[in-house]
Amino acid sequence: MLPTVKTASALLFLLLLVGVLFSYICQSNRFGLFSAEQTLTGGFADVITISNGISLRTPMQLRYKQPSIMSGRTDVVTVTPWLAPVVWEGTFEPELLDSVYKRKNISITATVFAVGKYIRFLKDFLETAEQHFFVGYNVHVYVFTDRPTELPKVKMAAGRQMTVRPIPSAKRWQEVSARRMKLIQVLIEETLFNQTDFIFCLDVDSKFHGRWGAESLGSLVAVIHPGYYKDERSQFPYERRPASSAYIAPGFGDFYYCGGAFGGDVHEVHLLTKCCHENFEADAKEGIEAAWQEESHLNRYMWSNKPSKVLSPEFLWQDFKSRQPEIHIVRFSGVVKNYADVRPN
């Protein structure tokens, strides 16, 4: 039976409506209004998040150096193949960024684990964070520790606070590394969803030396490992056993990201920690522990779920390494230590 004119008109209207809705969803997703679940199912991400949806409005009276697309850093790469910025000194204007983000009254959470003898590094971490980490912003530091009575006294500026989360001691340093993802996931679910905008997960045996601020904000943020940023990916210490859910096959992968510093929008970091924790548990049931615990699972996740912003090794250098010519500033670095002295095994 041929469709009537009335039926044909209804079908045409329905097709037009579907087209309009599809266009709206695509545009909304483009500007970060929707957040799709990112998963490792099948080895692919559902979406690559590029924008966190924050409008970049600036005060008209602000003066800053004229931007240029003809001059700038030429000694390093400043954008990834998926068009995420790679942040180096000289690629951003601090005052311009602060003029955008400070007026939005955003909140920043930092998590840090001071377990066992690692408590000795907490004072320097907190004191240098007061000097350099999101200065002038609302910052809440969550300290996970098994030694709450040994916490150092550090004066924090207005708008900044610290909360202690007691956790059990560990017999192996690998246990501390392995369970961090779960603890951060639970913290986000129980407390942070309605309290913070961005979260950064940082190593306690590190200290700040220079500005770490709004230039690091993004939906999903990774830091290039200082030990491997010049190497071919065949040299990266990825998990190479196919039986592990952290497996990355030879010839695949992007960069090698460090587990000592990562972050982003609280919802995106929740997806990351939840996925890494679940994959770690799945491996444990099979008697597998990834080569570098949480760092291996982090790299696997970041390969399938591309970070929207990549921070250069300035954001987690190593004090035992001499500074390379491309490292114009060290913002955050791991301190020199005797692992035999501070680790339980």
Side-chain angles (χ1 to χ4, degrees):
M1 180 182 295
L2 294 175
T4 65
V5 173
K6 185 175 182 180
T7 303
S9 298
L11 287 172
L12 179 61
F13 176 77
L14 181 60
L15 287 172
L16 288 172
L17 180 61
V18 170
V20 170
L21 287 173
F22 179 77
S23 176
Y24 174 76
I25 290 171
C26 288
Q27 289 297 315
S28 299
N29 201 39
R30 176 187 170 196
F31 290 104
L33 300 181
F34 290 86
S35 179
E37 279 285 326
Q38 295 179 315
T39 174
L40 296 184
T41 303
F44 296 95
D46 291 330
V47 66
I48 296 174
T49 304
I50 296 298
S51 170
N52 56 25
I54 292 182
S55 57
L56 303 179
R57 297 191 180 92
T58 60
M60 294 182 63
Q61 69 273 17
L62 180 68
R63 283 182 172 271
Y64 51 90
K65 183 180 178 181
Q66 178 183 339
S68 173
I69 61 170
M70 301 300 294
S71 63
R73 292 291 295 264
T74 59
D75 57 331
V76 292
V77 173
T78 58
V79 65
T80 69
W82 56 93
L83 300 182
V86 183
V87 182
W88 298 85
E89 176 71 2
T91 63
F92 63 92
E93 175 55 57
E95 291 185 7
L96 176 59
L97 287 174
D98 285 340
S99 74
V100 171
Y101 288 95
K102 281 189 176 180
R103 64 201 304 217
K104 294 180 179 296
N105 198 34
I106 62 173
S107 57
I108 312 293
T109 288
T111 63
V112 61
F113 286 72
V115 181
K117 294 181 180 179
Y118 275 76
I119 192 76
R120 69 180 63 173
F121 301 112
L122 184 58
K123 189 173 189 294
D124 275 351
F125 176 93
L126 293 172
E127 288 182 343
T128 57
E130 284 297 295
Q131 300 169 28
H132 302 294
F133 184 73
F134 282 99
V135 175
Y137 290 81
N138 300 312
V139 175
H140 196 150
V141 181
Y142 283 85
V143 178
F144 293 82
T145 184
D146 58 341
R147 300 186 179 188
T149 60
E150 299 179 31
L151 290 176
K153 293 183 179 180
V154 175
K155 185 178 180 180
M156 306 187 82
R160 302 168 75 92
Q161 59 181 312
M162 181 177 72
T163 297
V164 179
R165 303 271 291 200
I167 59 174
S169 300
K171 295 181 179 179
R172 302 169 62 240
W173 66 267
Q174 292 91 339
E175 292 177 19
V176 179
S177 174
R179 69 188 181 189
R180 288 203 296 185
M181 290 296 188
K182 178 181 179 181
L183 290 169
I184 295 168
Q185 174 196 340
V186 171
L187 173 67
I188 293 173
E189 292 171 350
E190 292 181 349
T191 306
L192 299 185
F193 271 138
N194 298 317
Q195 288 190 4
T196 196
D197 299 301
F198 297 92
I199 179 173
F200 288 90
C201 311
L202 306 170
D203 272 357
V204 70
D205 53 339
S206 309
K207 57 196 294 188
F208 294 90
H209 304 276
R211 172 193 166 97
W212 180 318
E215 65 279 356
S216 67
L217 295 178
S219 295
L220 186 61
V221 181
V223 180
I224 299 289
H225 197 294
Y228 301 97
Y229 71 101
K230 293 185 178 183
D231 292 343
E232 296 291 328
R233 60 185 172 192
S234 60
Q235 302 300 311
F236 294 166
Y238 288 149
E239 173 55 62
R240 298 299 191 184
R241 293 170 294 175
S244 172
S245 57
Y247 173 65
I248 297 179
F252 290 88
D254 297 317
F255 306 105
Y256 190 75
Y257 305 113
C258 58
F262 63 91
D265 173 90
V266 66
H267 295 277
E268 294 295 333
V269 176
H270 175 252
L271 294 178
L272 182 155
T273 54
K274 183 175 185 291
C275 183
C276 290
H277 165 234
E278 290 175 351
N279 287 341
F280 186 90
E281 291 295 315
D283 275 9
K285 290 179 181 178
E286 301 299 324
I288 300 172
E289 184 176 82
W292 288 101
Q293 296 81 39
E294 64 165 355
E295 188 170 84
S296 297
H297 288 280
L298 173 78
N299 273 275
R300 177 62 178 83
Y301 185 91
M302 292 287 191
W303 173 50
S304 292
N305 301 267
K306 308 296 190 195
S308 62
K309 184 169 288 185
V310 175
L311 306 183
S312 70
E314 299 170 357
F315 288 83
L316 188 50
W317 194 244
Q318 295 166 318
D319 282 353
F320 64 81
K321 292 172 63 75
S322 58
R323 189 187 301 187
Q324 300 298 302
E326 63 274 6
I327 305 297
H328 294 182
I329 181 175
V330 172
R331 305 181 186 280
F332 188 54
S333 68
V335 302
V336 176
K337 53 196 164 292
N338 180 354
Y339 285 109
D341 182 37
V342 296
R343 286 179 172 174
N345 61 307

